[in-house]
Amino acid sequence: MTDSTPGITVALVRDLLREQHPDLAGLALREVAGGWDNQQWRLGDGLAVRMPRTERAPGLQYKERRWLPVLAPRLPLPVPSPVRIGEPSARFPRPWTVMTWVPGEPLDRCPIGRGDDSADRLADFLKALHVEAPADAPTASDRGAHPKDCTDGFDHFFDAVAPGDIADGLRAVWDDAVAAPGWEGPPLWVHGDLHPANVVVSDGALSGVLDFGDMFAGDPAWDLAAAWVLLPRGAAPRFFDAYGRADEGTVRRARGLAALKGLFLLRTGRDGDRGLPGGKPTWGPAGRAALDRVLSS
């Protein structure tokens, strides 16, 4: 991640609100830790301001503005929805968005304690999301492919951070995913970026899903990897029983993609420990836990 829009401050956000949405400008405003493509500010108790910080972020926000109002009403967990549009201006050259705030603590900072409940909630959420997408739904640019077409990415992260004690097991899981049959159904709505910083937990259970900027129409295995990336050890069988739609090939692809995502989290955590741009220290432990769960199933 390269931050190409430095200098997003509370004063700037407040001024933008005064100019474009003055009825919201008096609400309390505070920066929220985290964020990758967008810097987020909590606005009052029920809103959030998402400020693009990378070149690709405006496109992700446009996608959320277009499709979240379509998807959100049928999803059983809270998700952010756009409520106001911020236009580019002399003060800030990119579009920005005021969204609803989804309460809870990010999973990379607050673990799930109620595994069975969370497995059921995640399964219900993905069953509702994974329906056939319309012809004009967005397609994926950097994700969504069969694992066999992602081997370069897997090898990159594997070589960089794969723990020696589990490296052989991870390679075997990946090779099995590469050999699995591909998705033969219609393109389904897929969140595309389910990892511990994009879901929130309340009272020990999964309670909301964030950041739909990478949503696309395609293979649901990319979301089903969450059985290992998000849920506690031992919860994957209950999740797949509750989901009820994943054939053997889809589960094999999902497990391999969970290994890929776990390595990505581990690498991002290492970068955070080293103080590198885009690094997230809390993602390292989440990545290692995900990899251990992949190999325990």
Side-chain angles (χ1 to χ4, degrees), residues 7 60 125-126 188 191 257:
L60 304 182
F125 178 84
L126 292 180
L188 305 184
H191 178 281
L257 292 168

Side-chain angles (χ1 to χ4, degrees), residues 63-73 75 79-82 99 211-213 215:
K63 192 191 301 186
E64 289 183 317
R65 291 179 191 175
R66 167 67 179 89
W67 292 108
L68 277 174
V70 175
L71 297 174
L75 298 177
V79 300
S81 295
M99 312 281 286
D211 198 348
F212 283 71
M215 74 178 94

Side-chain angles (χ1 to χ4, degrees), residues 126-131 183 188 240-247 250:
L126 292 180
K127 282 192 293 185
L129 176 63
H130 291 169
V131 299
W183 175 249
L188 305 184
F240 281 109
D241 284 346
Y243 181 78
R245 302 176 184 172
D247 59 25
T250 300

Side-chain angles (χ1 to χ4, degrees), residues 59-140:
L60 304 182
Q61 288 204 15
Y62 284 134
K63 192 191 301 186
E64 289 183 317
R65 291 179 191 175
R66 167 67 179 89
W67 292 108
L68 277 174
V70 175
L71 297 174
R74 58 180 174 80
L75 298 177
L77 288 175
V79 300
S81 295
V83 295
R84 300 286 183 91
I85 303 303
E87 300 294 344
S89 66
R91 285 186 181 273
F92 189 74
R94 292 176 174 167
W96 47 280
T97 310
V98 179
M99 312 281 286
T100 56
W101 175 261
V102 178
E105 291 295 321
L107 179 57
D108 63 325
R109 298 173 184 271
C110 179
I112 287 173
R114 294 157 53 195
D116 288 349
D117 191 8
S118 295
D120 292 342
R121 292 186 185 194
L122 180 62
D124 289 344
F125 178 84
L126 292 180
K127 282 192 293 185
L129 176 63
H130 291 169
V131 299
E132 186 170 354
D136 59 340
T139 56

Side-chain angles (χ1 to χ4, degrees), residues 8-272:
I8 303 175
T9 65
V10 65
L12 172 63
V13 178
R14 181 78 69 193
D15 286 346
L16 291 172
L17 288 168
R18 288 194 184 105
E19 290 177 355
Q20 300 191 31
H21 301 287
D23 58 314
L24 302 180
L27 297 174
L29 186 66
R30 53 198 182 278
E31 186 174 1
V32 178
W36 191 285
D37 291 290
N38 296 286
Q39 187 171 343
Q40 186 162 259
W41 300 78
R42 189 165 182 183
L43 180 63
D45 291 330
L47 299 173
V49 183
R50 286 167 63 80
M51 303 292 295
R53 60 191 302 187
T54 65
E55 294 292 339
R56 77 182 199 124
L60 304 182
Q61 288 204 15
Y62 284 134
K63 192 191 301 186
E64 289 183 317
R65 291 179 191 175
R66 167 67 179 89
W67 292 108
L68 277 174
V70 175
L71 297 174
R74 58 180 174 80
L75 298 177
L77 288 175
V79 300
S81 295
V83 295
R84 300 286 183 91
I85 303 303
E87 300 294 344
S89 66
R91 285 186 181 273
F92 189 74
R94 292 176 174 167
W96 47 280
T97 310
V98 179
M99 312 281 286
T100 56
W101 175 261
V102 178
E105 291 295 321
L107 179 57
D108 63 325
R109 298 173 184 271
C110 179
I112 287 173
R114 294 157 53 195
D116 288 349
D117 191 8
S118 295
D120 292 342
R121 292 186 185 194
L122 180 62
D124 289 344
F125 178 84
L126 292 180
K127 282 192 293 185
L129 176 63
H130 291 169
V131 299
E132 186 170 354
D136 59 340
T139 56
S141 58
D142 61 347
R143 64 198 72 204
H146 190 286
K148 67 184 179 183
D149 298 318
C150 304
T151 295
D152 287 347
F154 179 86
D155 288 345
H156 172 74
F157 293 120
F158 183 89
D159 292 342
V161 296
D165 59 323
I166 58 173
D168 290 345
L170 293 176
R171 176 62 68 182
V173 168
W174 182 253
D175 289 345
D176 183 64
V178 168
W183 175 249
E184 296 182 353
L188 305 184
W189 276 117
V190 177
H191 178 281
D193 199 23
L194 289 177
H195 61 68
N198 280 346
V199 298
V200 292
V201 175
S202 300
D203 299 322
L206 186 69
S207 60
V209 179
L210 313 177
D211 198 348
F212 283 71
D214 285 305
M215 74 178 94
F216 64 90
D219 181 0
W222 281 80
D223 281 353
L224 299 178
W228 298 278
V229 175
L230 300 182
L231 297 176
R233 183 187 294 265
R238 183 181 179 111
F239 164 80
F240 281 109
D241 284 346
Y243 181 78
R245 302 176 184 172
D247 59 25
E248 179 188 4
T250 300
V251 174
R252 291 165 61 193
R253 294 193 308 279
R255 190 170 174 231
L257 292 168
L260 172 61
K261 292 182 180 207
L263 289 170
F264 169 74
L265 291 170
L266 200 59
R267 163 68 181 274
T268 306
R270 187 192 70 178
D271 288 350

